[in-house]
Structure formats: structure tokens, C-alpha cells
Amino acid sequence: MKILVMNGPNINMLGLREPDLYGNQNYESLCNQINAYAEENGIEVAIFQSNYEGALVDCIQQAYGVYDGIVINPAAYTHTSVALLDALKAVSIPAVEVHISDVSKREAFRQVSYVRYYCEKTIAGHGFDGYIEAMAYLKEKYGE
Ligand code: DQA
């Protein structure tokens, strides 16, 4: 099966940004863990990160007919982007929302998630493991 893992703004700053919330490992390490899990489990994975909302929308649109599942951490766009929600609805690919930190225990403005209206499941506060859990969920439900 083919899974697209998407990350929004500032996820490329992992390791540097607020390590108390997001840990000490960098973005490359996150990608390595995702790729290793995919390889061990017969998943074809592509990883995309952008700081631009439109680029993330383009990426979701281009996933149509290509990927069987999407793992998405929209980062700050989680709390603002109807465009990402609409793009997910448009392509209708099964998706799981992931957050490294436990957004439910953070500021009031982080309690809204637009993509959650579409995603089958939200995994938050499990660190990098959340991405692996999301891939495992999609593989179990939609994999051959
Ligand atoms: C985040 C949580 C968001 O509120 C924040 O804007 C991020 C990262 C997380 O992974 O915990 O950039 O999505």
C-alpha cells in the first residue's frame, strides 16, 4: 500500500523548536523512523513537509489516485485551515491526523482542528510514535 505522510509549518524545525514539547530529535530523524517502519512493513511511503498552506493543498490534490492513505500533521494549519479540510474531502483518501504534542492539554486556540472533521482518527501526544501508529492503523484497515 502507498501512504503519504505530510507535515505542516515548522515541523522542519524539530530538535530546535520547543524541545520540551516536541523533543530533541530533528526532522531527519522523524523521516528516518517513518521510512524504516514503512520498509519493514511493506509500505511504499512518501514524506512531504511545507511551511506553505497552498503547497500542502497542492500535495493533497496530487495524492488523488496515487496514495491509499494519508498521515497528516498540519501543525499550526490544524487550527486555521478550512482549505486543508476541503482538499482532504475532495480527494476522499483515508486520513489520520497526528500531533507530536498533546494538543488537548495546550492553549484554547489549539482545541479546534479543521482536518479532524475529515480524519478517521487523531493521535496526539505520542511524540514521533504517533506517525508510526497512524501508518499501522491505515495498513491494518486498508492494506492488502
Ligand atoms: C503540532 C501542534 C500544533 O498546535 C502546532 O502548531 C505545531 C505542532 C504538534 O505536532 O504537536 O506546529 O501539530
Side-chain angles (χ1 to χ4, degrees):
M1 91 174 295
K2 289 175 85 168
I3 293 179
L4 173 63
V5 178
M6 300 184 60
N7 282 293
N10 301 305
I11 298 297
N12 57 318
M13 299 298 279
L14 287 172
L16 265 183
R17 77 181 284 217
E18 303 176 87
D20 46 319
L21 279 172
Y22 301 115
N24 293 303
Q25 299 182 80
N26 63 17
Y27 178 64
E28 194 188 342
S29 167
L30 173 62
C31 294
N32 289 341
Q33 290 172 41
I34 291 167
N35 283 322
Y37 179 82
E39 203 175 313
E40 283 158 21
N41 290 277
I43 297 167
E44 245 184 272
V45 75
I47 308 175
F48 180 77
Q49 187 277 329
S50 180
N51 296 323
Y52 298 91
E53 186 176 14
L56 293 160
V57 170
D58 285 346
C59 183
I60 294 170
Q61 290 182 2
Q62 286 156 13
Y64 181 73
V66 180
Y67 294 98
D68 310 304
I70 295 177
V71 173
I72 184 164
N73 180 353
Y77 292 137
T78 307
H79 319 299
T80 61
S81 182
V82 178
L84 287 177
L85 169 65
D86 286 349
L88 288 169
K89 283 178 160 179
V91 298
S92 202
I93 299 169
V96 177
E97 174 188 14
V98 170
H99 299 285
I100 297 165
S101 66
D102 185 356
V103 278
S104 73
K105 303 225 164 71
R106 297 182 63 191
E107 301 94 325
F109 64 83
R110 292 185 209 274
Q111 302 315 310
V112 173
S113 165
Y114 287 98
V115 299
R116 199 163 301 172
Y117 286 91
Y118 175 79
C119 290
E120 288 190 17
K121 193 179 166 72
T122 297
I123 299 168
H126 297 186
F128 288 8
D129 288 350
Y131 292 84
I132 306 301
E133 289 167 29
M135 290 169 75
Y137 170 84
L138 288 169
K139 166 98 193 264
E140 166 81 18
K141 189 154 176 201
Y142 299 103
E144 311 82 55

